[in-house]
Amino acid sequence: MVGHRQLSRISALDLRQMYEGGAEMRENARVATDYKADYQELVDEISELLGVPATLENRDFELIAFGAYDSEGELDPSALDPVRTRSILTRRSTAAVRAWFEGFGITRATGPVRIPPTPEAGVYRGRICLPVRHRGVVLGYVWLLEDDPGPTDAQLAAAMQVTGRIGALLADEAQAGAGLSRELRAVLIAESGWQRDMAVAELRTALGARAAAPHTLVCVAPWPSADPDDAPSPRTVPHATALCTVPWGAVEQSLAVLVRLRSTEVGTPALTAAARLLKEAEGARGAAGRASGSRPGAGGPGTGVAAGVGEPRSGLAELGAVWQEASASARAALAEPRFGPVAEWRGIGPYRLLTALPPQAAQDPVAGPLLSPAHQELARTAEVYLDCAGQAGRTAAELGIHRQTLYYRLSRVEQLTGLDLDDGEDRLLLHMALKRARL
């Protein structure tokens, strides 16, 4: 949260420029949709109607649009406090702020809710919350900063009429997003070529002109929720065109994100989206860990969550192959610390082949004895030795052991496996078996 002293050094104009610093910045903030201008227009309408700044957030307290009202043509810095500043800068509020505001009953309210200032919570100015509902369901909130004398009841009633239009727009966008999620999922889980071709055709129709743009897919796995319908809104993920959950193993889910690129040569938007989603997954895992008393670490290898990025393609025809690459890259990032927490298909080396092997090839019999818990140290020694191209000096230095100790361990590896580490094909087999076992 932005501190009170720090806040005084941030002008409202700076914030406006941060938010509206050209088409590129807005594109990085969220997917450019036909709804964006409509939301901004309605929020500005409320700001003008009431004569106070208005901010629109969805029901998860993620920023959609804000208006900074000023009757003399310049933005008023007094329209900001740390909570509002943070919402504008980071596009979302903290869990603590959300819990604080929800404690005033805004999730159940059907009319304006007044919230007093609470400096210890960073709320230096009072708020009026206008719940945004559609068919009785709360879909978001319009926030107004209290002023003296403040809006009249008649003005607030008129503003609530505008929130009804916002609610209908949010519902319409949610329905459109749900359709894209279903169509993307159909492409990714299709079991045959003709099924995938039909699903791709439907997704292409739904996307319209956007379908021809360069795309790639991001896989975040495993996604913290096992609920197949529990996925974030594409608007909250930079560059995301559509996203959905896809089964990951027997009981878990992964998150698939279709990312639109400017060029097949530049995959930075996909990395940005992956980083954003990993942060969200880490937060969910952290909350679950605190609830259970455990202490999960940051995302990446060894902590159970990672992301993979497939090779960019133009259009959607090869989307199935891109998904295989993205999910394979996520598996590699989970297996190898050097790849994670976000791995790109082009950077996972031999795992491009290893991840394609069928499940029954997970453990070659020749490596079975070496992979038992009793011989973990020998397996590690063999893997490092092979990673170092059989150079004893490099291997001993990497492991921090004497060369004689290394030679003894390697002889034990040969005894357990029956392989000759001076033979190139035996080395290849063992190296593949050890790497494959990580998956």
Side-chain angles (χ1 to χ4, degrees):
M1 184 176 292
V2 179
H4 190 47
R5 293 181 181 177
Q6 186 179 0
L7 175 66
S8 66
R9 297 195 294 269
I10 302 175
S11 72
L13 181 58
D14 288 338
L15 290 176
R16 189 74 175 193
Q17 290 173 339
M18 283 175 156
Y19 180 70
E20 296 184 333
E24 183 66 28
M25 181 173 289
R26 292 195 298 274
E27 179 69 16
N28 291 342
R30 65 178 183 270
V31 175
T33 69
D34 293 336
Y35 298 96
K36 176 182 174 182
D38 294 332
Y39 290 130
Q40 189 63 55
E41 182 179 337
L42 291 170
V43 169
D44 288 341
E45 182 178 338
I46 291 177
S47 295
E48 292 289 338
L49 179 65
L50 303 182
V52 294
T55 301
L56 172 63
E57 296 178 337
N58 66 16
R59 61 186 167 197
D60 294 321
F61 284 61
E62 294 164 334
L63 181 68
I64 297 174
F66 79 94
Y69 172 84
D70 175 44
S71 59
E72 298 181 359
E74 293 186 0
L75 301 174
D76 180 9
S78 70
L80 305 170
D81 68 6
V83 168
R84 187 169 192 261
T85 300
R86 186 189 189 282
S87 175
I88 293 171
L89 290 176
T90 68
R91 308 200 61 78
R92 66 193 303 138
S93 296
T94 65
V97 168
R98 175 176 176 171
W100 171 260
F101 285 130
E102 288 180 343
F104 289 90
I106 61 175
T107 60
R108 302 181 301 275
T110 57
V113 177
R114 295 182 183 272
I115 299 173
T118 312
E120 60 269 24
V123 181
Y124 288 95
R125 295 186 57 181
R127 300 289 203 278
I128 300 175
C129 175
L130 306 181
V132 176
R133 292 181 171 273
H134 182 71
R135 295 182 178 177
V137 178
V138 64
L139 299 178
Y141 307 100
V142 171
W143 297 96
L144 314 170
L145 293 176
E146 280 269 43
D147 208 348
D148 190 18
T152 65
D153 290 343
Q155 286 176 309
L156 290 174
M160 286 299 297
Q161 294 294 321
V162 181
T163 66
R165 290 152 57 196
I166 295 174
L169 205 61
L170 284 169
D172 185 64
E173 184 184 11
Q175 184 176 7
L180 283 178
S181 294
R182 287 192 300 270
E183 285 147 0
L184 177 61
R185 185 184 292 112
V187 172
L188 302 185
I189 66 174
E191 295 182 355
S192 64
W194 68 268
Q195 288 178 329
R196 177 165 288 132
D197 289 344
M198 291 181 61
V200 167
E202 292 181 2
L203 179 60
R204 185 181 290 115
T205 298
L207 288 173
R210 292 179 293 169
H215 285 91
T216 190
L217 282 164
V218 171
C219 172
V220 181
W223 188 243
S225 173
D227 183 352
D229 297 321
D230 188 6
S233 166
R235 157 190 317 170
T236 66
V237 182
H239 311 286
T241 297
L243 48 77
C244 66
T245 55
V246 179
W248 180 267
V251 296
E252 293 182 302
Q253 300 286 323
S254 62
L255 187 71
V257 189
L258 181 63
V259 178
R260 187 172 69 253
L261 307 174
R262 293 187 178 276
S263 164
T264 56
E265 304 300 318
V266 180
T268 305
L271 300 178
T272 302
R276 162 72 175 80
L277 288 163
L278 272 179
K279 185 175 181 180
E280 182 167 334
E282 291 163 16
R285 287 171 61 85
R290 288 188 293 273
S292 63
S294 62
R295 298 177 61 187
T303 66
V305 60
V309 181
E311 282 290 286
R313 309 285 208 285
S314 291
L316 307 176
E318 298 182 72
L319 215 52
V322 180
W323 175 242
Q324 294 300 320
E325 294 168 358
S327 56
S329 300
R331 292 177 63 200
L334 289 167
E336 284 279 8
R338 60 194 172 93
F339 292 143
V342 179
E344 295 181 88
W345 170 253
R346 67 187 64 178
I348 62 174
Y351 282 92
R352 293 198 293 265
L353 295 176
L354 294 172
T355 52
L357 293 175
Q360 58 268 28
Q363 182 173 313
D364 190 279
V366 75
L370 193 60
L371 295 173
S372 68
H375 298 304
Q376 287 182 345
E377 187 175 62
L378 291 179
R380 169 65 177 156
T381 299
E383 186 175 4
V384 173
Y385 176 70
L386 296 169
D387 286 345
C388 292
Q391 297 180 28
R394 284 179 57 199
T395 306
E398 177 76 18
L399 294 171
I401 60 176
H402 193 275
R403 280 200 186 197
Q404 291 303 317
T405 302
L406 172 63
Y407 294 141
Y408 170 75
R409 291 184 184 177
L410 294 178
S411 68
R412 290 282 294 131
V413 168
E414 291 181 323
Q415 292 171 10
L416 286 168
T417 61
L419 298 175
D420 180 1
L421 294 183
D422 288 330
D423 182 275
E425 290 192 356
D426 282 2
R427 285 191 185 190
L428 176 60
L429 175 59
L430 182 58
H431 209 177
M432 289 178 63
L434 291 172
K435 295 297 184 187
R436 187 64 173 83
R438 290 182 175 273
L439 297 171

